[in-house]
Short mmCIF file of all heavy atoms in Angstrom, two decimals:
data_model
loop_
_atom_site.label_atom_id
_atom_site.label_comp_id
_atom_site.label_asym_id
_atom_site.label_seq_id
_atom_site.Cartn_x
_atom_site.Cartn_y
_atom_site.Cartn_z
N PHE A 9 0.83 -1.19 0.02
CA PHE A 9 -0.02 0.01 0.00
C PHE A 9 0.90 1.24 0.02
O PHE A 9 2.03 1.22 0.42
CB PHE A 9 -0.87 0.06 1.27
CG PHE A 9 -1.90 -1.08 1.38
CD1 PHE A 9 -1.56 -2.30 1.87
CD2 PHE A 9 -3.23 -0.83 0.99
CE1 PHE A 9 -2.48 -3.31 2.00
CE2 PHE A 9 -4.17 -1.87 1.11
CZ PHE A 9 -3.81 -3.06 1.62
N ALA A 10 0.32 2.36 -0.46
CA ALA A 10 0.97 3.65 -0.34
C ALA A 10 -0.07 4.69 0.09
O ALA A 10 -1.08 4.88 -0.63
CB ALA A 10 1.61 4.06 -1.67
N TRP A 11 0.15 5.30 1.25
CA TRP A 11 -0.80 6.31 1.78
C TRP A 11 -0.22 7.70 1.69
O TRP A 11 0.97 7.94 1.93
CB TRP A 11 -1.09 6.00 3.27
CG TRP A 11 -2.11 4.97 3.53
CD1 TRP A 11 -3.46 5.09 3.54
CD2 TRP A 11 -1.86 3.59 3.86
NE1 TRP A 11 -4.07 3.90 3.87
CE2 TRP A 11 -3.11 2.96 4.07
CE3 TRP A 11 -0.70 2.83 4.01
CZ2 TRP A 11 -3.23 1.63 4.40
CZ3 TRP A 11 -0.83 1.51 4.37
CH2 TRP A 11 -2.06 0.90 4.56
N GLU A 12 -1.12 8.65 1.41
CA GLU A 12 -0.74 10.07 1.49
C GLU A 12 -0.61 10.48 2.97
O GLU A 12 0.27 11.28 3.34
CB GLU A 12 -1.77 10.96 0.76
CG GLU A 12 -1.40 12.41 0.77
CD GLU A 12 -2.42 13.25 -0.02
OE1 GLU A 12 -3.51 12.75 -0.35
OE2 GLU A 12 -2.06 14.42 -0.35
N ASP A 13 -1.50 9.92 3.79
CA ASP A 13 -1.52 10.24 5.23
C ASP A 13 -2.06 9.05 5.99
O ASP A 13 -3.17 8.58 5.75
CB ASP A 13 -2.45 11.48 5.46
CG ASP A 13 -2.42 11.96 6.90
OD1 ASP A 13 -1.51 11.54 7.64
OD2 ASP A 13 -3.34 12.73 7.29
N VAL A 14 -1.24 8.52 6.89
CA VAL A 14 -1.63 7.37 7.68
C VAL A 14 -1.01 7.47 9.06
O VAL A 14 0.16 7.87 9.20
CB VAL A 14 -1.28 6.05 7.02
CG1 VAL A 14 0.22 5.89 6.83
CG2 VAL A 14 -1.84 4.84 7.74
N GLU A 15 -1.76 7.15 10.06
CA GLU A 15 -1.25 7.16 11.42
C GLU A 15 -0.28 5.95 11.58
O GLU A 15 -0.50 4.88 11.11
CB GLU A 15 -2.40 6.97 12.42
CG GLU A 15 -1.97 6.97 13.90
CD GLU A 15 -3.12 6.72 14.84
OE1 GLU A 15 -4.26 6.61 14.33
OE2 GLU A 15 -2.88 6.64 16.04
N ALA A 16 0.83 6.22 12.28
CA ALA A 16 1.83 5.19 12.45
C ALA A 16 1.25 3.99 13.10
O ALA A 16 0.60 4.07 14.14
CB ALA A 16 3.02 5.71 13.29
N GLY A 17 1.45 2.82 12.46
CA GLY A 17 0.96 1.53 13.05
C GLY A 17 -0.49 1.24 12.76
O GLY A 17 -0.97 0.14 13.07
N ALA A 18 -1.24 2.18 12.18
CA ALA A 18 -2.68 1.94 11.96
C ALA A 18 -2.89 0.77 11.02
O ALA A 18 -3.88 0.05 11.10
CB ALA A 18 -3.35 3.18 11.39
N TYR A 19 -1.94 0.57 10.12
CA TYR A 19 -2.07 -0.53 9.11
C TYR A 19 -1.95 -1.93 9.72
O TYR A 19 -2.16 -2.90 9.05
CB TYR A 19 -1.02 -0.36 8.02
CG TYR A 19 0.34 0.12 8.53
CD1 TYR A 19 1.21 -0.72 9.15
CD2 TYR A 19 0.69 1.49 8.39
CE1 TYR A 19 2.41 -0.31 9.63
CE2 TYR A 19 1.93 1.91 8.87
CZ TYR A 19 2.77 1.01 9.51
OH TYR A 19 3.98 1.47 9.97
N MET A 20 -1.67 -1.99 11.05
CA MET A 20 -1.69 -3.29 11.72
C MET A 20 -3.07 -3.64 12.24
O MET A 20 -3.28 -4.75 12.76
CB MET A 20 -0.65 -3.33 12.86
CG MET A 20 0.77 -3.27 12.42
SD MET A 20 1.97 -3.49 13.76
CE MET A 20 1.67 -5.23 14.21
N ASP A 21 -4.02 -2.71 12.11
CA ASP A 21 -5.39 -2.92 12.61
C ASP A 21 -6.24 -3.44 11.45
O ASP A 21 -6.47 -2.74 10.46
CB ASP A 21 -5.89 -1.57 13.11
CG ASP A 21 -7.33 -1.68 13.67
OD1 ASP A 21 -7.96 -2.76 13.52
OD2 ASP A 21 -7.81 -0.70 14.26
N PRO A 22 -6.76 -4.67 11.55
CA PRO A 22 -7.57 -5.25 10.45
C PRO A 22 -8.80 -4.38 10.14
O PRO A 22 -9.22 -4.31 8.98
CB PRO A 22 -8.00 -6.64 11.00
CG PRO A 22 -6.96 -6.97 12.01
CD PRO A 22 -6.54 -5.65 12.61
N ASP A 23 -9.40 -3.79 11.16
CA ASP A 23 -10.58 -2.93 10.90
C ASP A 23 -10.23 -1.67 10.12
O ASP A 23 -11.06 -1.21 9.31
CB ASP A 23 -11.22 -2.52 12.27
CG ASP A 23 -11.83 -3.68 13.00
OD1 ASP A 23 -12.26 -4.66 12.32
OD2 ASP A 23 -11.95 -3.66 14.22
N TYR A 24 -9.05 -1.16 10.30
CA TYR A 24 -8.60 0.00 9.54
C TYR A 24 -8.39 -0.38 8.03
O TYR A 24 -8.73 0.41 7.17
CB TYR A 24 -7.30 0.50 10.11
CG TYR A 24 -6.74 1.71 9.41
CD1 TYR A 24 -7.19 2.96 9.68
CD2 TYR A 24 -5.68 1.54 8.48
CE1 TYR A 24 -6.68 4.07 9.00
CE2 TYR A 24 -5.15 2.65 7.81
CZ TYR A 24 -5.66 3.91 8.08
OH TYR A 24 -5.15 4.99 7.42
N LEU A 25 -7.89 -1.60 7.82
CA LEU A 25 -7.60 -1.98 6.45
C LEU A 25 -8.81 -2.44 5.69
O LEU A 25 -8.82 -2.45 4.42
CB LEU A 25 -6.57 -3.14 6.43
CG LEU A 25 -5.13 -2.76 6.84
CD1 LEU A 25 -4.27 -4.04 6.88
CD2 LEU A 25 -4.56 -1.76 5.87
N LYS A 26 -9.86 -2.83 6.39
CA LYS A 26 -11.03 -3.49 5.78
C LYS A 26 -11.64 -2.66 4.59
O LYS A 26 -11.87 -3.23 3.51
CB LYS A 26 -12.13 -3.77 6.81
CG LYS A 26 -13.19 -4.72 6.35
CD LYS A 26 -14.18 -5.05 7.48
CE LYS A 26 -13.45 -5.79 8.58
NZ LYS A 26 -14.39 -6.19 9.69
N PRO A 27 -11.81 -1.34 4.70
CA PRO A 27 -12.40 -0.60 3.62
C PRO A 27 -11.55 -0.52 2.38
O PRO A 27 -12.05 -0.25 1.27
CB PRO A 27 -12.63 0.81 4.20
CG PRO A 27 -12.54 0.63 5.68
CD PRO A 27 -11.60 -0.48 5.92
N ILE A 28 -10.25 -0.76 2.51
CA ILE A 28 -9.37 -0.57 1.34
C ILE A 28 -8.57 -1.84 1.04
O ILE A 28 -7.59 -1.77 0.31
CB ILE A 28 -8.40 0.61 1.59
CG1 ILE A 28 -7.61 0.36 2.92
CG2 ILE A 28 -9.11 1.94 1.58
CD1 ILE A 28 -6.38 1.20 3.02
N ASP A 29 -8.94 -2.96 1.63
CA ASP A 29 -8.18 -4.14 1.41
C ASP A 29 -8.04 -4.52 -0.06
O ASP A 29 -7.01 -5.00 -0.49
CB ASP A 29 -8.82 -5.35 2.15
CG ASP A 29 -7.99 -6.59 2.09
OD1 ASP A 29 -6.86 -6.58 2.63
OD2 ASP A 29 -8.43 -7.58 1.47
N ASN A 30 -9.06 -4.22 -0.86
CA ASN A 30 -9.00 -4.53 -2.32
C ASN A 30 -8.04 -3.64 -3.05
O ASN A 30 -7.74 -3.88 -4.20
CB ASN A 30 -10.40 -4.45 -2.92
CG ASN A 30 -11.01 -3.07 -2.82
OD1 ASN A 30 -10.51 -2.18 -2.08
ND2 ASN A 30 -12.11 -2.85 -3.55
N LYS A 31 -7.59 -2.55 -2.40
CA LYS A 31 -6.58 -1.69 -3.04
C LYS A 31 -5.15 -2.16 -2.81
O LYS A 31 -4.22 -1.66 -3.41
CB LYS A 31 -6.73 -0.24 -2.51
CG LYS A 31 -8.02 0.43 -2.95
CD LYS A 31 -8.07 1.89 -2.48
CE LYS A 31 -9.39 2.56 -2.95
NZ LYS A 31 -9.42 3.97 -2.57
N GLY A 32 -5.01 -3.12 -1.87
CA GLY A 32 -3.70 -3.68 -1.64
C GLY A 32 -3.26 -4.56 -2.79
O GLY A 32 -4.02 -5.44 -3.23
N GLU A 33 -2.07 -4.34 -3.31
CA GLU A 33 -1.58 -5.12 -4.45
C GLU A 33 -0.77 -6.30 -3.97
O GLU A 33 0.21 -6.11 -3.25
CB GLU A 33 -0.77 -4.19 -5.34
CG GLU A 33 -1.59 -3.02 -5.85
CD GLU A 33 -0.76 -2.04 -6.68
OE1 GLU A 33 0.13 -2.47 -7.41
OE2 GLU A 33 -0.96 -0.79 -6.53
N PRO A 34 -1.14 -7.54 -4.32
CA PRO A 34 -0.44 -8.74 -3.83
C PRO A 34 1.03 -8.73 -4.28
O PRO A 34 1.36 -8.26 -5.37
CB PRO A 34 -1.20 -9.90 -4.48
CG PRO A 34 -2.54 -9.33 -4.81
CD PRO A 34 -2.32 -7.91 -5.18
N LEU A 35 1.87 -9.30 -3.43
CA LEU A 35 3.29 -9.35 -3.71
C LEU A 35 3.87 -10.61 -3.09
O LEU A 35 3.74 -10.83 -1.88
CB LEU A 35 3.99 -8.11 -3.13
CG LEU A 35 5.51 -8.08 -3.20
CD1 LEU A 35 5.97 -8.09 -4.66
CD2 LEU A 35 6.07 -6.86 -2.46
N THR A 36 4.45 -11.47 -3.92
CA THR A 36 5.14 -12.66 -3.44
C THR A 36 6.64 -12.46 -3.57
O THR A 36 7.13 -12.11 -4.65
CB THR A 36 4.75 -13.90 -4.24
OG1 THR A 36 3.33 -14.14 -4.11
CG2 THR A 36 5.51 -15.12 -3.79
N LEU A 37 7.35 -12.62 -2.45
CA LEU A 37 8.79 -12.44 -2.46
C LEU A 37 9.50 -13.76 -2.05
O LEU A 37 9.14 -14.35 -1.08
CB LEU A 37 9.19 -11.31 -1.47
CG LEU A 37 8.76 -9.92 -1.82
CD1 LEU A 37 9.10 -8.94 -0.73
CD2 LEU A 37 9.40 -9.44 -3.16
N ARG A 38 10.48 -14.11 -2.85
CA ARG A 38 11.33 -15.26 -2.57
C ARG A 38 12.76 -14.74 -2.21
O ARG A 38 13.02 -13.59 -2.34
CB ARG A 38 11.36 -16.22 -3.70
CG ARG A 38 9.95 -16.84 -4.01
CD ARG A 38 10.00 -17.80 -5.18
NE ARG A 38 8.70 -18.44 -5.39
CZ ARG A 38 7.73 -17.93 -6.08
NH1 ARG A 38 7.82 -16.75 -6.66
NH2 ARG A 38 6.56 -18.59 -6.18
N GLU A 39 13.57 -15.65 -1.75
CA GLU A 39 14.91 -15.24 -1.38
C GLU A 39 15.63 -14.61 -2.58
O GLU A 39 15.50 -15.06 -3.73
CB GLU A 39 15.70 -16.44 -0.86
CG GLU A 39 15.29 -16.92 0.52
CD GLU A 39 16.27 -17.81 1.18
OE1 GLU A 39 17.02 -18.53 0.43
OE2 GLU A 39 16.34 -17.86 2.40
N ASN A 40 16.33 -13.55 -2.26
CA ASN A 40 17.14 -12.80 -3.25
C ASN A 40 16.31 -12.05 -4.31
O ASN A 40 16.90 -11.52 -5.24
CB ASN A 40 18.17 -13.70 -3.93
CG ASN A 40 19.32 -14.09 -2.99
OD1 ASN A 40 19.84 -13.25 -2.27
ND2 ASN A 40 19.70 -15.34 -3.08
N ASP A 41 15.00 -12.08 -4.18
CA ASP A 41 14.20 -11.31 -5.15
C ASP A 41 14.53 -9.84 -5.05
O ASP A 41 14.75 -9.28 -3.99
CB ASP A 41 12.69 -11.52 -4.85
CG ASP A 41 12.12 -12.69 -5.53
OD1 ASP A 41 12.79 -13.31 -6.38
OD2 ASP A 41 10.94 -13.04 -5.28
N GLN A 42 14.56 -9.20 -6.22
CA GLN A 42 14.69 -7.76 -6.33
C GLN A 42 13.66 -7.28 -7.34
O GLN A 42 13.92 -7.36 -8.58
CB GLN A 42 16.09 -7.35 -6.75
CG GLN A 42 17.17 -7.71 -5.73
CD GLN A 42 18.54 -7.03 -5.98
OE1 GLN A 42 18.60 -6.02 -6.68
NE2 GLN A 42 19.58 -7.60 -5.43
#
């Protein structure tokens, strides 16, 4: 995610993320991925 304005740590709250969860872009990372 990328926010213009977000309270520190708010993104660890599932209720905070619920309205915008579909805006989160999936990302799979393996070892040494760049």
